[in-house]
Amino acid sequence: MFSRLAHFARRTIFSCTSGNRLSLPNSPTSSTSTLFAPPYSKKHYATDEMASPVNTTDRLKHLRELMASSKYNVAAYVVPSEDAHQSEYVAACDERRAFISGFDGSAGCAVITMDKASMFTDGRYFLQASKQMDANWTLMKCGTPGVPTWQEYLTNHLPAGTRVGIDSTLLAAAEGGRLSAALKSRGGGDLVAIEDNLVDIVWGSQRPARPEDKAFIQPMEYAGESHTSKIARVREQIEKEGAEGLIVAALDEVAWLFNLRGSDIDFNPVFFAYAVIAKDKATLYIDDVKLTDAVRQHLSGIVVRPYGEIFGELSLLSASLVQSKRQVLAGQTASWALVQALGAENINIAQSPITRLKALKNAVELQGMRQCHIRDGVAMANYFGWLEDQLLNQDGNLRLSEVDAADKLEEFRRAQEHCVGLSFATISSVGANGAIIHYSPKRGSDALLDVTQMYLCDSGGQYLDGTTDVTRTYHFGQPTDWQRECFTRVLKGHIALDRAVFPSGTSGYGLDPLARLPLWELGLDFRHGTGHGVGSFLNVHEGPQGVSMRKTTVDTGFSAGMTITNEPGYYEDGEFGIRIENTCLVVKVDTKFDYTGGAGYLTFDPVTMVPIQKKLIKPELFTEVERKWLDEYHQTVWDNVSPRLEKGGLGYEWLK
């Protein structure tokens, strides 16, 4: 699963003692500590966002009035998707791009001028954006011939000397520097950091409140390493770089470093905070309302300051850095506003050392990933056993909706030990909806399940000991020959990537073609990456590793202890979608020889425990090696999942 649709409605909070509330074992506060909202508590029932575009006429009119005012005086205004931490998912109060445009896909950037509103997004969201936006907007299909990026649009397609406004906390530091320089070089244009977010002004009192949920401790039994040990390892990396300290802006990095979790963003157990790690001091910038007594005690020895004070304290630090001629490190999620506070000459923007440290899971985390995926496999077996029975035996065909199915899957998942919520909004999609890569069903406009059509389900759970992400495509009737051929070729690519043995340090860029070759043979392909890292009770998308044709994956090689998904697909607009996804661990493998000089070789070990439908396979396209792989995988699933299922139950019988 790649970047998902962000929520457009404020979620309710729950803890687990009744109904939709979820309790956290060993919680620092109480047995009813809050964690995640039910992912469909509001958004799933918001009827037909996909079918009915939002009327943005008045919103754009108000925004343009602000742009033209003497206080701001900008001819263009940029509205990114991200929050102040460059998060993929954002809290409801930060869904500014969705509010101003109506398009709520997780990737996109809006540029508003006095006479035009443009939405820049990639191929995953072309169909969704075209349905969600009204006639005020022009869809810019990034990646297609002749269509510029939003940065190119600002620098090359607007009049020379244009003043472009943006909330500098929402722009990555490196991007802010590049864009500012590009605008200046072309006729004296200017990138203007506007302290007031203009969309927030337009949104007014209707803007959701900022979350004030409590942070809680991730105990050693799941973390596997103390936060003091992690800070010490980070300081070693800072020293190697000859730097004065490190600014930590990514929310999952803050959570990982301090062994804390939160619930400020749906599906992601993170909380709003910054951190600065110096040689002799570690400072956590977090609002006091988020701290329990247990968390304060946990943070003994850590300086705790209010969230917003980081900017002023960095400004005070800048003078001493100039004198020492040393810099502070900052990860690539640091904002342009942080750079402006510290001074560009005092900061080195690069990959945060925490990014890789977090990606290399320790033994406790790896075991947790294995165990949570077995429990997740139990939930999936119970779900698909129930679903097949409903569709074929209980008159559920053309009666159950996509949302009905997604809600039932959530019910089965929540019944599993240590499950505290979902890791993203379930993609429960039938027929043509499966071709919308990141489709999210809405109550009222969702389709009815039909045994004559393909069904694609992409889902995942958050467990105290790990995070899951799995996609399966099934047909409960009789698939066409073409559907079987497409499915078989996707599966062949999946198997080829799973079986790969490669030198340690090989990048996902080099491995990606393995998953596409069977499709390329027919001139087919898919418009998304093939794999991403997965957090340990953290974000379902985790870097720096990935499997993709994007050049961003070239610089990161695989190491044992990383996680990665394997998820090739194929999509025919208006017809069907296919995706087969396993979450895998990167593990060492013994080879007869070692040409690496000691670095060794790696392979992928799938931990997802959900069978792949054989009915969709064309046997004549399968090799003996592929048949053996599938049989061995299914045996592994059976051995791990069946003992946890009720014998004779729907899940058990389906798994057989």
Side-chain angles (χ1 to χ4, degrees), residues 253-563:
E253 293 189 2
V254 174
W256 176 87
L257 182 62
F258 291 97
N259 282 349
L260 295 173
R261 299 294 187 266
S263 58
D264 285 352
I265 296 179
D266 287 348
F267 311 119
N268 300 279
V270 297
F271 51 91
F272 287 114
Y274 294 99
V276 174
I277 308 301
K279 295 177 181 179
D280 57 355
K281 183 172 69 173
T283 305
L284 178 64
Y285 295 89
I286 182 172
D287 286 335
D288 186 69
V289 69
K290 296 185 174 299
L291 301 177
T292 64
D293 290 341
V295 170
R296 288 189 180 92
Q297 183 177 355
H298 172 77
L299 294 172
S300 176
I302 306 298
V303 178
V304 179
R305 305 288 294 161
Y307 174 77
E309 288 194 6
I310 187 172
F311 298 98
E313 294 195 359
L314 288 179
S315 295
L316 295 175
L317 178 63
S318 61
S320 63
L321 288 173
V322 170
Q323 291 178 352
S324 67
K325 297 183 180 180
R326 289 166 68 90
Q327 292 183 314
V328 170
L329 300 175
Q332 292 160 335
T333 57
S335 69
W336 193 37
L338 289 171
V339 172
Q340 290 174 313
L342 189 61
E345 69 280 7
N346 298 321
I347 193 166
N348 178 16
I349 301 294
Q351 185 183 100
S352 167
I354 296 176
T355 302
R356 186 169 182 85
L357 293 174
K358 177 168 56 65
L360 295 170
K361 305 293 184 280
N362 61 48
V364 171
E365 292 172 317
L366 292 173
Q367 181 63 12
M369 291 294 283
R370 291 188 183 278
Q371 292 303 314
C372 76
H373 277 86
I374 292 173
R375 297 193 299 275
D376 208 59
V378 172
M380 296 295 287
N382 284 328
Y383 169 64
F384 281 117
W386 170 86
L387 184 60
E388 184 175 74
D389 180 64
Q390 287 290 314
L391 294 176
L392 301 183
N393 304 320
Q394 305 297 330
D395 197 32
N397 185 46
L398 297 177
R399 180 177 60 83
L400 285 174
S401 73
E402 293 166 327
V403 171
D404 293 333
D407 287 348
K408 191 66 177 181
L409 173 54
E410 181 178 355
E411 179 184 320
F412 282 121
R413 193 166 257 132
R414 288 186 185 278
Q416 298 305 307
E417 183 182 20
H418 298 329
C419 181
V420 295
L422 304 187
S423 57
F424 56 92
T426 298
I427 299 176
S428 173
S429 55
V430 64
N433 289 339
I436 304 172
I437 296 172
H438 287 164
Y439 172 74
S440 183
K442 313 294 188 297
R443 178 74 74 185
S445 65
D446 56 329
L448 298 177
L449 271 60
D450 185 344
V451 297
T452 69
Q453 299 186 62
M454 302 274 271
Y455 177 67
L456 186 155
C457 183
D458 188 348
S459 67
Q462 290 286 9
Y463 297 80
L464 293 176
D465 53 352
T467 302
T468 70
D469 185 2
V470 52
T471 308
R472 288 295 183 263
T473 305
Y474 292 135
H475 200 301
F476 296 99
Q478 294 302 317
T480 67
D481 187 71
W482 176 240
Q483 288 172 336
R484 292 173 67 224
E485 169 140 1
C486 293
F487 182 90
T488 305
R489 290 183 177 276
V490 171
L491 179 55
K492 286 171 72 72
H494 178 100
I495 294 172
L497 183 59
D498 184 272
R499 294 186 65 251
V501 175
F502 48 91
S504 180
T506 300
S507 74
Y509 184 84
L511 295 173
D512 186 81
L514 294 173
R516 299 178 189 267
L517 281 172
L519 290 168
W520 285 353
E521 290 172 353
L522 288 185
L524 305 177
D525 206 344
F526 52 93
R527 286 178 174 167
H528 59 70
T530 304
H532 59 84
V534 179
S536 178
F537 187 32
L538 271 175
N539 297 356
V540 73
H541 296 148
E542 179 176 271
Q545 72 275 22
V547 179
S548 172
M549 295 295 285
R550 294 184 179 182
K551 293 182 180 179
T552 52
T553 60
V554 172
D555 296 333
T556 299
F558 282 110
S559 297
M562 288 180 168
T563 59

Side-chain angles (χ1 to χ4, degrees), residues 183-230:
L183 288 169
K184 281 185 171 65
S185 68
R186 189 177 180 275
D190 193 13
L191 184 63
V192 182
I194 299 178
E195 185 173 347
D196 301 322
N197 189 289
L198 303 189
V199 174
D200 289 352
I201 297 174
V202 175
W203 211 340
S205 62
Q206 297 303 307
R207 183 183 174 223
R210 193 167 185 81
E212 295 185 347
D213 308 329
K214 302 294 185 183
F216 57 92
I217 300 166
Q218 176 73 339
M220 281 287 290
E221 64 182 293
Y222 304 125
E225 182 183 10
S226 70
H227 68 284
T228 54
S229 173
K230 292 178 178 180

